[in-house]
Amino acid sequence: MAVSGVGSGFVFRSTSQKKENTKKEDGGTFGDILEASERSSNDPLTTQEMMREIRDRMGEIYDKVKKGQTQPSFQIGASSFTLKEWERFLKKFDKGQEELEEMIREAKQEQQKKMAALAPEGNDEWVKTV
């Protein structure tokens, strides 16, 4: 029994190995699982083992959908985010923006202090224009 769509030289590996070697344990796409398993072992699976892994993954997905544990995912550019992932991404982005703004503010104040030191005495207007 052959798996359709699988080119020669492509090797499937067990998803159980994935959980040992990656941080993401709560699922992922089938491609994520394959990529993680390719990094963890070079032992190829038989066709029966491949089919069992696919069935197991399908069962996990079915159980999640049945229990209502899935979240809608939205395509944004080349990435896809759930609402939770998007909020986490925005928080990290906003934090980076705030840090950058603070660095710019500090650099500007430092520059103004240097300019004030170089300015002729009593000429504060010169410093403010720079």
Side-chain angles (χ1 to χ4, degrees):
M1 178 173 156
V3 178
S4 64
V6 177
S8 64
F10 192 89
V11 180
F12 284 97
R13 289 174 187 81
S14 173
T15 58
S16 62
Q17 295 168 347
K18 174 218 168 255
K19 290 183 180 178
E20 297 169 3
N21 297 318
T22 62
K23 293 179 183 176
K24 189 174 184 178
E25 294 181 4
D26 61 343
T29 65
F30 189 67
D32 293 340
I33 293 169
L34 288 177
E35 286 178 21
S37 65
E38 285 177 355
R39 285 179 256 135
S40 65
S41 172
N42 289 326
D43 299 331
L45 298 177
T46 66
T47 302
Q48 288 87 8
E49 291 171 328
M50 286 186 257
M51 297 306 289
R52 187 188 71 239
E53 292 293 329
I54 292 170
R55 267 193 315 276
D56 290 347
R57 181 68 179 146
M58 287 173 56
E60 289 174 20
I61 293 169
Y62 177 76
D63 289 341
K64 278 186 164 183
V65 170
K66 193 174 177 181
K67 293 177 184 177
Q69 296 174 337
T70 59
Q71 296 180 8
S73 180
F74 302 95
Q75 188 76 26
I76 300 174
S79 300
S80 179
F81 296 95
T82 64
L83 292 175
K84 187 176 180 180
E85 291 169 334
W86 182 247
E87 289 297 322
R88 189 174 340 135
F89 173 78
L90 286 180
K91 283 181 185 178
K92 288 180 182 178
F93 182 83
D94 289 343
K95 183 179 177 183
Q97 287 292 104
E98 290 169 1
E99 290 173 0
L100 179 63
E101 289 172 1
E102 182 62 28
M103 288 172 53
I104 291 171
R105 203 174 303 116
E106 289 173 1
K108 186 175 180 181
Q109 288 174 353
E110 186 67 31
Q111 184 67 29
Q112 286 179 344
K113 287 178 185 177
K114 288 179 182 178
M115 294 301 289
L118 295 175
E121 292 217 13
N123 197 351
D124 293 332
E125 289 300 317
W126 184 74
V127 173
K128 290 180 183 177
T129 60
V130 175

